[in-house]
Amino acid sequence: MKNKKAQEFAITKNDEIIQSKKFSCINIYSTAVDKGLVQLMISILYIFGAIQVFSLEITLGSILAFITYSVYVISPITAIVNIKQHLYQIFPSINRFNEFMSLEEDKIGHILTLYNYDIVFDSVTFSYDKNNCALNNVSFKIPQNSRLAIVGHNGSGKTTILNLLLRLYEVNKGAIYLSGYDIADIDLSLYRNLFSVVSQEVYLFNDTIRNNICLYKSYSEEKINEVIKLCGLSELIKEKTLDYIIGDKGSLLSGGQKQKISLARAIIRDAPIFILDEATSNTDAISENFIITKVLSSLKNKTIITISHNNTYLHENDLILLLNKGTIVAYGKYDELIKSNSNFKEFIEYRQ
């Protein structure tokens, strides 16, 4: 990795040096032309003026006045000569602006009335590029207030399902429905407010524990204390207080503490759909058991979607979705699948 990154840095630095050399050459060239042109014209005017003065055709004062006014003529000419230099300075900014404007925009959608939070994937196909199909004709339903566990080997398409559900990408074929509406037609702000997400990678700010949990929104102390107790942060708060600065990216906290703050942040939002994307991967067995058995069981009237590599708590879910290379190979209740689905039985045995 060190050698690879050193090569990337050398290439980038070399490009920067080449661009700097080009700019310096253009700058020197433009400056030389600018000064040369000015001196040439002034010299011509002095020579021509001297001839006129000696011929008694013009006075010395007139020729000096003429030379002074000639500067106003020379200035626009030098500006035209130097236009390449000015353009060369703004081209990088223009290119970056064009790249930014060419980025794909989110579809805002329309404000709709949602009657329930049933989620339906209908023949969804998606590819990150032309060569690899991440999901192939995937169809399943997540009823409102149910608990779904999405499992599968690495690269099977688990995170892709979440990315599509959260509208970070758009499906290539098929559609995803919420309350009977295509999610692409729902107002984006309204739609994303329906979700609370706890991911494997925790994003924390160099701020207080309170602001990292509340994200600068106003919640009652009773609500904050309730969430802190639920997420097992009471001991940390007792030791550090809510106003403790946690450092850049939570550097002053342990991995488990950071994960619990991320969990508290998601719970306090009280969104109807709760997503955990391998959220317990950075915690110890005790903390993982605490999150699964106590925290998730306390979330009443919520749709909970979990991605986890731990098979111990799969039976805690209402539905299991097993993916293999972007296709569904098992979908249903744990007890039914373990008896009748060979793919699911093989997956469980492999993970044990």
Side-chain angles (χ1 to χ4, degrees), residues 315 317-320 330-345:
H315 61 276
N317 294 273
D318 301 312
L319 294 168
I320 311 293
Y331 173 68
K333 296 182 178 181
Y334 183 92
D335 294 337
E336 297 174 355
L337 294 177
I338 202 68
K339 293 178 182 178
S340 60
N341 191 289
S342 59
N343 291 306
F344 186 71
K345 290 171 64 177

Side-chain angles (χ1 to χ4, degrees), residues 115-130:
Y115 299 98
N116 57 60
Y117 300 118
D118 290 343
I119 300 169
V120 177
F121 277 64
D122 184 12
S123 303
V124 172
T125 297
F126 175 78
S127 298
Y128 290 100
D129 53 52
K130 295 181 180 179

Side-chain angles (χ1 to χ4, degrees), residues 291-303:
I291 292 173
I292 296 295
T293 59
K294 184 176 180 180
V295 177
L296 293 187
S297 61
S298 68
L299 299 176
K300 305 298 183 182
N301 301 319
K302 305 285 184 187
T303 301

Side-chain angles (χ1 to χ4, degrees), residues 86-147:
H86 299 310
L87 290 176
Y88 196 81
Q89 287 178 304
I90 67 173
F91 276 151
S93 299
I94 292 175
N95 291 335
R96 287 195 297 269
F97 178 76
N98 289 334
E99 290 175 1
F100 174 77
M101 293 302 294
S102 64
L103 292 175
E104 184 178 356
E105 296 183 32
D106 286 327
K107 291 184 178 179
I108 301 302
H110 309 287
I111 297 177
L112 301 170
T113 302
L114 304 178
Y115 299 98
N116 57 60
Y117 300 118
D118 290 343
I119 300 169
V120 177
F121 277 64
D122 184 12
S123 303
V124 172
T125 297
F126 175 78
S127 298
Y128 290 100
D129 53 52
K130 295 181 180 179
N131 299 322
N132 300 310
C133 185
L135 292 178
N136 184 22
N137 197 32
V138 169
S139 296
F140 64 93
K141 180 179 180 179
I142 310 174
Q144 177 177 325
N145 299 337
S146 64
R147 293 179 60 172

Side-chain angles (χ1 to χ4, degrees), residues 145-159:
N145 299 337
S146 64
R147 293 179 60 172
L148 171 73
I150 305 175
V151 295
H153 298 297
N154 290 334
S156 59
K158 305 185 296 296
T159 300

Side-chain angles (χ1 to χ4, degrees), residues 36-52:
L37 181 61
V38 171
Q39 295 301 323
L40 177 61
M41 293 195 64
I42 291 177
S43 299
I44 292 173
L45 289 174
Y46 273 117
I47 293 171
F48 177 76
I51 294 172
Q52 296 295 310

Side-chain angles (χ1 to χ4, degrees), residues 284-321:
D284 54 44
I286 297 176
S287 297
E288 182 179 25
N289 180 66
F290 176 82
I291 292 173
I292 296 295
T293 59
K294 184 176 180 180
V295 177
L296 293 187
S297 61
S298 68
L299 299 176
K300 305 298 183 182
N301 301 319
K302 305 285 184 187
T303 301
I304 302 175
I305 304 171
T306 307
I307 291 179
S308 175
H309 289 297
N310 192 328
N311 297 331
T312 307
Y313 305 102
L314 287 183
H315 61 276
E316 300 281 347
N317 294 273
D318 301 312
L319 294 168
I320 311 293
L321 178 68

